[in-house]
Amino acid sequence: RPPPPATHLKDPDMFWDFISLRPETTHQVSFLFGERGTPDGYRFMNGYGSHTFKLVNEQNEAFYCKYHFKTNQGIKNLLPEKAQELEGSDPDYSTRDLFNAIADGNFPSWTMYVQIMTFDEAEAHRWNPFDVTKVWPQKDFPLIPVGKFTLNRNPKNYFAEVEQIAYAPSHLVPG
């Protein structure tokens, strides 16, 4: 529901109204309010490609794919009190932590995995594999290790090397 029209101020009930009316948010909210609530910076969190992607191999065979990036530093979270303090005093805490770690030679890394689903498996699956509110069961689609990526240098120009690259389809790997 929108904010009150007279004041346009946020209403704390709006969040809970949204959650209660959108059951697909349950998975993400359980992370938010669970033990994995607030990561202690980017180095200590996993990453996931929410969307389903299509990969094409050298034989021109296509498969659906989900990406998983597991931190090699281990999961580490902030206590709620510390997270609230940083929100007001240092909202760039995670970016600063990552930059400083790399500058100090403490290069963070993640192991990359994929889950693969054939087109036939997608047709027969019990839910839509493109539904971003669902995860693919690892017992049905196990994680396949692909490799490791390491952040071993900071950008000299953040806009040119990080932000701008995300907007150029020409930077995509073929396939």
Side-chain angles (χ1 to χ4, degrees):
R1 86 182 167 184
T7 65
H8 196 65
L9 295 173
K10 289 181 175 54
D11 176 353
D13 291 332
M14 289 171 52
F15 172 79
W16 296 108
D17 286 347
F18 177 80
I19 298 302
S20 67
L21 296 171
R22 302 303 300 248
E24 64 270 22
T25 64
T26 303
H27 183 251
Q28 182 61 42
V29 172
S30 65
F31 274 69
L32 181 64
F33 289 103
E35 290 297 313
R36 296 198 266 180
T38 306
D40 187 5
Y42 299 123
R43 296 183 297 142
F44 302 105
M45 63 189 288
N46 294 332
Y48 305 94
S50 299
H51 297 283
T52 299
F53 297 88
K54 182 173 97 173
L55 296 178
V56 180
N57 65 18
E58 290 176 343
Q59 292 75 38
N60 208 31
E61 299 167 316
F63 299 88
Y64 294 129
C65 165
K66 289 273 195 182
Y67 291 103
H68 298 253
F69 307 95
K70 303 283 189 164
T71 178
N72 294 322
Q73 290 71 235
I75 299 289
K76 183 178 172 190
N77 294 294
L78 297 170
L79 294 172
E81 299 79 19
K82 184 65 174 177
Q84 186 174 13
E85 173 194 326
L86 288 170
E87 180 181 27
S89 66
D90 189 2
D92 294 322
Y93 170 81
S94 295
T95 302
R96 185 180 335 283
D97 172 73
L98 180 63
F99 183 92
N100 289 340
I102 295 168
D104 292 343
N106 183 9
F107 304 132
S109 64
W110 290 259
T111 301
M112 179 182 160
Y113 300 86
V114 294
Q115 287 178 289
I116 300 294
M117 181 185 290
T118 66
F119 284 25
D120 289 339
E121 288 171 321
E123 286 291 326
H125 199 61
R126 59 190 175 273
W127 64 75
N128 182 344
F130 298 98
D131 184 344
V132 297
T133 67
K134 306 279 192 300
V135 295
W136 294 1
Q138 290 183 22
K139 68 179 178 54
D140 299 332
F141 306 99
L143 295 179
I144 301 167
V146 173
K148 174 179 160 181
F149 71 89
T150 302
L151 300 181
N152 60 8
R153 73 171 184 86
N154 282 312
K156 291 181 180 25
N157 179 328
Y158 190 87
F159 176 76
E161 295 179 54
V162 178
E163 287 185 0
Q164 197 171 24
I165 196 168
Y167 301 115
S170 61
H171 292 112
L172 296 176
V173 176

